Amino acid sequence: MKIAIAQLNYTVGDIDGNTSKIIDSITRAKGLGADLVLFAEQAVSGTPAFDLLRKTTFLELCEDALVQIASCCDDIAAIVGLPILTAEGTISAAALIQDRKVLRYVGKKYITARREMGFVVPSKGYEYVTIKGHKCAIVVGDDLRRIHDCDSSVETILSINARRYGRGTMTRRYEMMRDLAFVEGKNLVMANQVGGNTEIVYDGTSGAINRRGELCLMMKSFEEDLAVFDTEAPAAPVAVPSSGDRTRLVYEAAVCGLRDFYLKNGYTKAAVGLSGGIDSAVTACLAVAALGRTNVRALLMPSHFSSDHSVEDAKVVAEALGIEYNVIPINEIYTSVVDTLKPVTGGTEFDSTEENIQTRIRTVLLMALQNKTGYVLLNSSNKSENALGLCTLYGDTAGAFSPTGDLYKSEMYDLARYINRTLGDPIPESVLRKEPSSELRPDQKDSDILPPYEVVDAILYRMIEEGQHREEIVNAGFDSEVVEKIHSMIMRNEKKRYQFPPVLRLSTCAFGHERLMPLTNRYGD
């Protein structure tokens, strides 16, 4: 059997647009001689659709679209993902279409993602069907991990998914699939979607594994694609991207997620505050890659405490990228605000109040640029600072979208080096070498309060991604005082993370999603 996999970029709620893409792919699959074409989970509706899945009208429109799709399936079968309203609630289903008719729905049994809990209900799970004379098992979403002891007459497992990207997940995904195909002795074909929908980015990377557990088809990452897997034809095994490709995949995921957030929301232009530091430099590079240099604009806003080399470094980045920029010193504005506040604050001692005033002034200017010109503000935070609270509410926490807020500080350096290797060194070596600093007071350095970020990030990774207790981390060789300090900083800064813009999820454990702490709590006091 020839099985076409249609890996498409869907937009949540754009039922007409999604349907048009599906029908176009059906036509292309027919031209390739396919017997069956496979589409991702919730392809018709787009995902995550959240409360749209509770709207009867929305669900009816999805079913109407399915009828339109079925009318095009005269010489080909199709499996299409969509939400279906049942007596128990909305299920995530795979619709089997043959001979222009919707023959049955196969619903997902295991609801494992928080973004679906409360919006879809469990169904019966995978089912066996006959397609073009071939016995197959249709599986939706994470049910694939629970399939076992398939009927001996089943030739191929057909899996439709909406699997988001997360650093390292692709390797684990394919290891699981290869083990399943080999143990069950079945072909395994998986259709995933691609593209960004708010915080989530889907990597695509759909594929097919033969009954010997050999990966014989892997589709593009972060791009739409269509390919045919012939269950009878020999095919040379292909390799899964290795750990050495992780930074490249992170870069591609960030660019894809950023681009789709802007385009799917009707934005075309991005504003960035360039400080001369690593985070804003990487963010500007991602913006140019996603939107084009003519659609990115930067403001350089030095204060009394900004070093001359930081301003020059920021100019070098802007000029290397070919983006428009303006230098707007904030000294006079800062002095005016501080003097105006003296009757209220006393103004007797420089502390975090004066530090935060600087970053909030910069946000006022960036938001004014957005309001006046339509350059929508990008946030350039990183996960280390977000975790520890080294950021200012209504200052550098502001922005419409954060493409890097789920990347640790050390990962920002990895990304910067990858960008330089592939894009011609837009980030000067001086930015990579300089000691991290927010430059909000004289001679300020992050190392004044923290060990090197390599140590900080190793502790944060153990706490956040791996969920290790402080005692486990100390037993692994980390200083107990540092571990306790970092834990305390994480816990007391949840209030800042609650007020963050959407952060593109690039790790396996993102704040506010896989890791959601109560804002008001006394744990760890």
Side-chain angles (χ1 to χ4, degrees):
M1 181 165 61
K2 292 184 177 180
I3 304 170
I5 307 171
Q7 178 177 287
L8 302 177
N9 188 340
Y10 307 103
T11 300
V12 174
D14 184 11
I15 297 172
D16 289 342
N18 297 337
T19 300
S20 178
K21 284 191 171 192
I22 291 168
I23 291 173
D24 179 64
S25 293
I26 290 171
T27 303
R28 291 176 60 199
K30 287 180 187 177
L32 295 171
D35 302 300
L36 168 69
V37 57
L38 217 57
F39 297 92
E41 183 180 3
Q42 296 190 37
V44 175
S45 60
T47 184
F50 298 122
D51 269 309
L52 289 176
L53 299 175
R54 293 174 172 161
K55 290 185 174 291
T56 303
T57 303
F58 178 75
L59 298 171
E60 288 174 346
L61 289 171
C62 289
E63 291 196 55
D64 291 344
L66 190 65
V67 173
Q68 183 183 354
I69 292 166
S71 69
C72 302
C73 297
D74 43 1
D75 296 317
I76 192 171
I79 295 175
V80 183
L82 77 164
I84 292 291
L85 183 61
T86 70
E88 290 74 33
T90 303
I91 63 170
S92 182
L96 171 60
I97 301 170
Q98 289 194 88
D99 300 319
R100 300 165 62 113
K101 297 177 183 177
V102 179
L103 297 186
R104 67 197 300 178
Y105 297 111
V106 178
K108 180 163 69 173
K109 183 176 183 179
Y110 295 96
I111 313 300
T112 56
R114 275 188 176 173
R115 60 184 178 272
E116 293 184 321
M117 294 175 182
F119 302 106
V120 296
V121 299
S123 186
K124 292 191 302 181
Y126 68 90
E127 296 183 25
Y128 303 133
V129 299
T130 300
I131 303 173
K132 302 285 186 176
H134 297 265
K135 187 75 170 287
C136 301
I138 298 179
V139 190
V140 182
D142 215 31
D143 287 7
L144 186 65
R145 295 180 182 274
R146 277 84 173 181
I147 195 170
H148 59 86
D149 298 329
C150 271
D151 189 282
S152 59
S153 62
V154 169
E155 301 173 21
T156 304
I157 299 170
L158 303 170
S159 169
I160 68 167
N161 274 281
R163 290 183 179 272
R164 79 169 183 89
Y165 171 77
R167 186 182 52 252
T169 57
M170 189 185 303
T171 303
R172 293 192 289 273
R173 178 193 309 166
Y174 270 99
E175 286 174 354
M176 180 274 293
M177 290 170 58
R178 285 187 295 199
D179 289 346
L180 176 61
F182 179 77
V183 170
E184 295 292 333
K186 316 292 184 190
N187 299 310
L188 173 55
V189 183
M190 187 270 286
N192 192 24
Q193 60 180 274
V194 68
N197 278 316
T198 313
E199 301 103 331
I200 295 176
V201 59
Y202 300 98
D203 58 88
T205 327
S206 309
I209 298 172
N210 63 27
R211 57 178 57 90
R212 294 184 298 277
E214 297 169 337
L215 178 63
C216 43
L217 172 64
M218 174 174 275
M219 297 170 70
K220 295 175 183 177
S221 299
F222 307 106
E223 293 183 48
E224 291 191 327
D225 199 4
L226 190 144
V228 174
F229 170 61
D230 189 334
T231 60
E232 304 300 325
V238 298
V240 177
S242 67
S243 58
D245 293 305
R246 284 191 181 180
T247 302
R248 172 182 64 82
L249 292 171
V250 166
Y251 172 80
E252 292 176 358
V255 171
C256 178
L258 192 162
R259 179 189 296 120
D260 276 358
F261 178 83
Y262 270 64
L263 299 184
K264 290 181 181 182
N265 284 289
Y267 310 141
T268 58
K269 300 183 289 186
V272 180
L274 271 181
S275 66
I278 191 78
D279 300 331
S280 62
V282 167
T283 302
C285 291
L286 294 174
V288 169
L291 305 174
R293 65 185 61 193
T294 58
N295 292 316
V296 181
R297 187 169 177 182
L299 293 186
L300 285 59
M301 298 165 286
S303 73
H304 299 76
F305 311 113
S306 301
S307 61
D308 292 339
H309 64 78
S310 289
V311 178
E312 290 308 310
D313 286 341
K315 288 181 179 178
V316 170
V317 171
E319 290 167 2
L321 292 174
I323 61 176
E324 184 179 357
Y325 71 93
N326 299 91
V327 181
I328 306 178
I330 64 169
N331 298 2
E332 292 184 12
I333 306 173
Y334 170 78
T335 301
S336 176
V337 172
V338 170
D339 289 344
T340 302
L341 277 172
K342 280 182 180 178
V344 179
T345 63
T348 56
E349 184 179 351
F350 186 99
D351 57 22
S352 61
T353 305
E354 285 74 21
E355 290 185 8
N356 291 337
I357 285 171
Q358 296 170 69
T359 185
R360 288 174 179 141
I361 288 170
R362 290 177 175 127
T363 296
V364 168
L365 299 178
L366 286 163
M367 289 304 298
L369 176 67
Q370 173 176 315
N371 294 155
K372 185 65 71 174
T373 65
Y375 283 83
V376 176
L377 177 59
L378 273 178
N379 177 277
S380 57
S381 63
N382 65 71
K383 191 171 187 174
S384 306
E385 294 172 356
N386 296 349
L388 301 173
L390 301 179
C391 47
T392 301
L393 272 178
Y394 324 117
D396 53 349
T397 62
F401 188 63
S402 174
T404 58
D406 198 26
L407 296 175
Y408 293 106
K409 187 79 170 186
S410 50
E411 291 180 295
M412 297 294 280
Y413 284 95
D414 292 340
L415 202 53
R417 294 185 184 97
Y418 173 81
I419 288 168
N420 276 354
R421 287 196 305 271
T422 56
L423 300 180
D425 296 308
I427 302 174
E429 189 64 26
S430 53
V431 172
L432 293 165
R433 287 199 312 264
K434 74 173 62 171
E435 191 168 349
S437 169
S438 54
E439 294 190 335
L440 297 177
R441 64 168 61 236
D443 302 317
Q444 184 182 47
K445 296 181 179 63
D446 291 5
S447 59
D448 296 340
I449 58 171
L450 292 170
Y453 273 107
E454 291 81 359
V455 175
V456 172
D457 289 350
I459 294 171
L460 289 173
Y461 185 86
R462 288 171 178 266
M463 284 185 179
I464 298 167
E465 260 81 357
E466 297 186 346
Q468 291 186 8
H469 190 271
R470 284 162 282 170
E471 185 177 346
E472 292 180 84
I473 300 172
V474 172
N475 290 340
F478 293 91
D479 182 85
S480 59
E481 288 188 10
V482 172
V483 171
E484 290 293 341
K485 180 177 183 177
I486 287 175
H487 177 265
S488 176
M489 292 175 76
I490 292 173
M491 295 302 292
R492 71 169 179 261
N493 283 294
E494 192 69 26
K495 63 182 182 294
K496 292 185 179 181
R497 293 187 287 272
Y498 263 67
Q499 300 180 67
F500 243 76
V503 173
L504 186 65
R505 295 162 65 182
L506 300 172
S507 75
T508 56
C509 187
F511 284 118
H513 298 278
E514 290 81 17
R515 188 187 188 281
L516 181 60
M517 298 295 290
L519 180 57
T520 304
N521 81 89
R522 298 292 297 272
Y523 174 77
D525 278 6

